[in-house]
Amino acid sequence: PQVALAEFLGWPDPEDAPDEKAIERAAQLFWPWYVFNWEYCALDVEEGLLQGPEDVTITELFLEKKQIDSKSLEDRFLIDANRSPFSFHEIAAINAGRTVTIRDILTGHETLVQERRGSEYLQKGDIIFGRAVQVDNVGMFLGLSPYRIPPRMKPEVIEMRKGISRSRGMLSVEGLY
Protein backbone atom coordinates (compact mmCIF):
# COMPACT_ATOMS: atom_id res chain seq x y z
CA PRO A 1 0.00 0.00 0.00
CA GLN A 2 2.88 2.44 0.62
CA VAL A 3 4.09 2.20 -2.98
CA ALA A 4 0.54 2.58 -4.28
CA LEU A 5 -0.05 5.57 -1.99
CA ALA A 6 3.10 7.26 -3.28
CA GLU A 7 1.90 6.74 -6.85
CA PHE A 8 -1.62 7.92 -5.94
CA LEU A 9 -0.16 11.11 -4.48
CA GLY A 10 2.03 11.73 -7.55
CA TRP A 11 5.33 10.49 -6.11
CA PRO A 12 5.92 13.44 -3.77
CA ASP A 13 9.42 14.23 -2.51
CA PRO A 14 9.74 13.38 1.21
CA GLU A 15 9.70 17.06 2.17
CA ASP A 16 6.48 17.57 0.14
CA ALA A 17 4.73 14.46 1.46
CA PRO A 18 1.27 15.14 2.88
CA ASP A 19 0.67 14.96 6.60
CA GLU A 20 -1.40 12.27 8.30
CA LYS A 21 -4.62 14.33 8.18
CA ALA A 22 -4.29 14.86 4.42
CA ILE A 23 -3.75 11.14 3.91
CA GLU A 24 -6.83 10.41 6.04
CA ARG A 25 -8.91 12.74 3.87
CA ALA A 26 -7.64 10.98 0.74
CA ALA A 27 -8.54 7.53 2.09
CA GLN A 28 -12.06 7.61 0.62
CA LEU A 29 -10.51 7.84 -2.82
CA PHE A 30 -7.28 5.93 -2.25
CA TRP A 31 -8.55 2.55 -0.99
CA PRO A 32 -11.05 1.95 -3.82
CA TRP A 33 -8.40 3.09 -6.32
CA TYR A 34 -5.86 0.77 -4.73
CA VAL A 35 -8.14 -2.28 -4.94
CA PHE A 36 -9.75 -1.65 -8.34
CA ASN A 37 -7.25 0.47 -10.30
CA TRP A 38 -3.68 0.25 -9.06
CA GLU A 39 -1.39 -1.94 -11.15
CA TYR A 40 2.00 -3.01 -9.87
CA CYS A 41 4.89 -1.89 -12.07
CA ALA A 42 8.42 -3.08 -11.28
CA LEU A 43 9.85 0.23 -12.53
CA ASP A 44 8.03 2.08 -9.74
CA VAL A 45 9.78 0.35 -6.83
CA GLU A 46 13.25 -0.37 -5.56
CA GLU A 47 14.77 -3.72 -6.43
CA GLY A 48 13.35 -6.42 -4.19
CA LEU A 49 10.85 -4.16 -2.40
CA LEU A 50 7.83 -5.63 -4.17
CA GLN A 51 7.31 -8.60 -6.38
CA GLY A 52 4.29 -9.75 -8.26
CA PRO A 53 2.54 -9.78 -11.59
CA GLU A 54 2.61 -6.48 -13.42
CA ASP A 55 -0.27 -4.60 -15.02
CA VAL A 56 -2.89 -6.48 -12.99
CA THR A 57 -5.21 -5.00 -10.38
CA ILE A 58 -5.71 -6.51 -6.93
CA THR A 59 -9.29 -7.29 -7.93
CA GLU A 60 -8.09 -9.17 -11.01
CA LEU A 61 -5.68 -11.21 -8.87
CA PHE A 62 -8.51 -12.07 -6.49
CA LEU A 63 -10.90 -13.02 -9.29
CA GLU A 64 -8.19 -15.11 -10.95
CA LYS A 65 -7.83 -17.23 -7.81
CA LYS A 66 -11.57 -17.43 -7.15
CA GLN A 67 -14.02 -19.38 -9.23
CA ILE A 68 -16.26 -16.65 -10.65
CA ASP A 69 -19.99 -17.14 -10.33
CA SER A 70 -21.82 -14.95 -12.85
CA LYS A 71 -24.97 -15.28 -10.73
CA SER A 72 -23.21 -13.91 -7.67
CA LEU A 73 -23.89 -10.22 -7.02
CA GLU A 74 -20.50 -9.96 -5.29
CA ASP A 75 -18.64 -11.25 -8.35
CA ARG A 76 -20.60 -9.02 -10.76
CA PHE A 77 -19.83 -6.05 -8.50
CA LEU A 78 -16.09 -6.82 -8.53
CA ILE A 79 -16.05 -7.25 -12.30
CA ASP A 80 -17.99 -4.02 -12.95
CA ALA A 81 -15.97 -1.99 -10.42
CA ASN A 82 -12.60 -3.22 -11.66
CA ARG A 83 -10.73 -0.57 -13.67
CA SER A 84 -13.70 1.79 -13.56
CA PRO A 85 -12.31 5.32 -13.81
CA PHE A 86 -12.67 8.25 -11.45
CA SER A 87 -14.10 11.40 -12.96
CA PHE A 88 -15.81 14.71 -12.34
CA HIS A 89 -19.59 14.42 -12.09
CA GLU A 90 -22.16 17.20 -12.19
CA ILE A 91 -25.27 16.74 -10.07
CA ALA A 92 -28.06 16.74 -12.66
CA ALA A 93 -31.01 15.91 -10.38
CA ILE A 94 -31.66 15.01 -6.76
CA ASN A 95 -34.36 13.04 -5.00
CA ALA A 96 -33.32 13.92 -1.43
CA GLY A 97 -32.79 10.93 0.79
CA ARG A 98 -33.00 8.48 -2.11
CA THR A 99 -31.13 9.11 -5.38
CA VAL A 100 -28.83 11.44 -7.27
CA THR A 101 -28.56 11.64 -11.05
CA ILE A 102 -25.01 12.48 -12.04
CA ARG A 103 -23.56 13.42 -15.43
CA ASP A 104 -19.90 12.70 -16.05
CA ILE A 105 -18.43 15.97 -17.33
CA LEU A 106 -15.61 14.14 -19.12
CA THR A 107 -17.62 11.35 -20.81
CA GLY A 108 -21.18 12.70 -20.84
CA HIS A 109 -22.46 9.45 -19.30
CA GLU A 110 -25.43 9.77 -16.91
CA THR A 111 -25.97 7.50 -13.93
CA LEU A 112 -28.78 7.27 -11.39
CA VAL A 113 -27.09 6.59 -8.07
CA GLN A 114 -28.80 5.19 -4.98
CA GLU A 115 -27.55 7.57 -2.30
CA ARG A 116 -29.28 8.49 0.95
CA ARG A 117 -26.86 10.68 2.90
CA GLY A 118 -25.10 12.39 0.00
CA SER A 119 -28.37 13.27 -1.69
CA GLU A 120 -29.31 15.36 1.32
CA TYR A 121 -26.34 17.74 1.19
CA LEU A 122 -25.62 17.90 -2.55
CA GLN A 123 -27.28 20.53 -4.73
CA LYS A 124 -28.12 20.49 -8.41
CA GLY A 125 -25.12 21.85 -10.33
CA ASP A 126 -22.53 20.80 -7.73
CA ILE A 127 -19.52 18.91 -9.05
CA ILE A 128 -18.13 15.89 -7.25
CA PHE A 129 -15.02 13.84 -7.92
CA GLY A 130 -15.19 10.09 -7.64
CA ARG A 131 -16.61 7.13 -9.43
CA ALA A 132 -20.00 5.60 -9.88
CA VAL A 133 -20.43 1.92 -10.62
CA GLN A 134 -23.54 0.22 -11.96
CA VAL A 135 -24.37 -3.38 -11.13
CA ASP A 136 -27.66 -4.81 -12.36
CA ASN A 137 -28.81 -1.27 -13.25
CA VAL A 138 -28.22 -0.06 -9.69
CA GLY A 139 -25.78 2.82 -9.50
CA MET A 140 -23.62 3.44 -6.45
CA PHE A 141 -20.68 5.61 -5.52
CA LEU A 142 -17.40 3.78 -5.01
CA GLY A 143 -14.73 6.20 -3.91
CA LEU A 144 -15.97 9.73 -3.57
CA SER A 145 -14.14 12.88 -2.55
CA PRO A 146 -15.55 14.39 0.64
CA TYR A 147 -15.53 17.83 -1.00
CA ARG A 148 -18.07 19.42 -3.33
CA ILE A 149 -16.67 21.47 -6.17
CA PRO A 150 -18.65 24.66 -6.85
CA PRO A 151 -20.50 24.83 -10.20
CA ARG A 152 -18.39 27.86 -11.21
CA MET A 153 -15.45 25.43 -11.67
CA LYS A 154 -17.17 23.49 -14.47
CA PRO A 155 -15.41 25.50 -17.24
CA GLU A 156 -12.06 24.46 -15.72
CA VAL A 157 -13.07 20.78 -15.89
CA ILE A 158 -14.20 21.23 -19.50
CA GLU A 159 -10.86 22.85 -20.35
CA MET A 160 -9.09 19.88 -18.77
CA ARG A 161 -11.26 17.53 -20.88
CA LYS A 162 -10.28 19.45 -24.01
CA GLY A 163 -6.61 19.08 -23.09
CA ILE A 164 -6.97 15.36 -22.49
CA SER A 165 -9.10 14.57 -25.54
CA ARG A 166 -7.29 16.99 -27.88
CA SER A 167 -10.73 18.04 -29.11
CA ARG A 168 -13.98 19.46 -27.83
CA GLY A 169 -15.64 16.04 -27.71
CA MET A 170 -16.33 13.77 -24.80
CA LEU A 171 -13.90 11.06 -23.74
CA SER A 172 -14.78 7.40 -23.89
CA VAL A 173 -14.76 5.47 -20.61
CA GLU A 174 -11.68 3.60 -21.86
CA GLY A 175 -9.97 6.85 -22.79
CA LEU A 176 -10.74 8.29 -19.38
CA TYR A 177 -9.25 5.25 -17.65
Side-chain angles (χ1 to χ4, degrees), residues 58-114:
I58 292 171
T59 300
E60 289 164 352
L61 289 172
F62 174 77
L63 289 170
E64 188 178 290
K65 293 185 185 317
K66 181 183 187 293
Q67 187 172 359
I68 298 173
D69 178 3
S70 62
K71 294 179 183 167
S72 159
L73 181 59
E74 176 187 89
D75 287 356
R76 289 194 316 275
F77 168 77
L78 292 171
I79 291 165
D80 290 345
N82 189 57
R83 295 181 185 262
S84 60
F86 285 85
S87 192
F88 293 91
H89 303 275
E90 179 179 24
I91 305 301
I94 298 174
N95 182 354
R98 306 194 81 176
T99 62
V100 177
T101 301
I102 58 173
R103 183 176 307 111
D104 188 321
I105 298 171
L106 302 180
T107 68
H109 182 75
E110 272 195 17
T111 305
L112 177 67
V113 176
Q114 308 298 315

Side-chain angles (χ1 to χ4, degrees), residues 2-172:
Q2 291 82 5
V3 172
L5 182 61
E7 181 177 341
F8 181 79
L9 296 171
W11 303 105
D13 291 327
E15 64 271 5
D16 296 329
D19 62 20
E20 199 65 35
K21 285 186 179 185
I23 292 173
E24 260 182 52
R25 287 191 305 271
Q28 293 179 64
L29 294 171
F30 170 71
W31 290 108
W33 175 84
Y34 175 62
V35 171
F36 296 108
N37 297 87
W38 182 67
E39 303 169 29
Y40 167 70
C41 177
L43 297 176
D44 293 340
V45 297
E46 294 177 30
E47 185 76 30
L49 181 63
L50 274 181
Q51 296 175 359
E54 294 191 62
D55 305 320
V56 179
T57 67
I58 292 171
T59 300
E60 289 164 352
L61 289 172
F62 174 77
L63 289 170
E64 188 178 290
K65 293 185 185 317
K66 181 183 187 293
Q67 187 172 359
I68 298 173
D69 178 3
S70 62
K71 294 179 183 167
S72 159
L73 181 59
E74 176 187 89
D75 287 356
R76 289 194 316 275
F77 168 77
L78 292 171
I79 291 165
D80 290 345
N82 189 57
R83 295 181 185 262
S84 60
F86 285 85
S87 192
F88 293 91
H89 303 275
E90 179 179 24
I91 305 301
I94 298 174
N95 182 354
R98 306 194 81 176
T99 62
V100 177
T101 301
I102 58 173
R103 183 176 307 111
D104 188 321
I105 298 171
L106 302 180
T107 68
H109 182 75
E110 272 195 17
T111 305
L112 177 67
V113 176
Q114 308 298 315
E115 179 62 39
R116 261 193 354 217
R117 276 190 336 186
S119 65
E120 293 177 354
Y121 81 91
L122 292 169
Q123 298 175 10
K124 187 174 179 179
D126 282 345
I127 298 170
I128 54 176
F129 180 78
R131 89 166 106 205
V133 176
Q134 270 192 306
V135 181
D136 293 345
N137 294 319
V138 176
M140 64 195 87
F141 288 123
L142 179 62
L144 189 62
S145 171
Y147 305 105
R148 291 184 296 179
I149 301 168
R152 64 180 161 73
M153 299 303 294
K154 186 175 178 182
E156 299 293 329
V157 178
I158 292 170
E159 282 301 313
M160 181 183 69
R161 180 187 72 208
K162 289 178 187 176
I164 294 170
S165 70
R166 306 267 189 251
S167 72
R168 294 182 181 261
M170 298 291 185
L171 294 166
S172 67

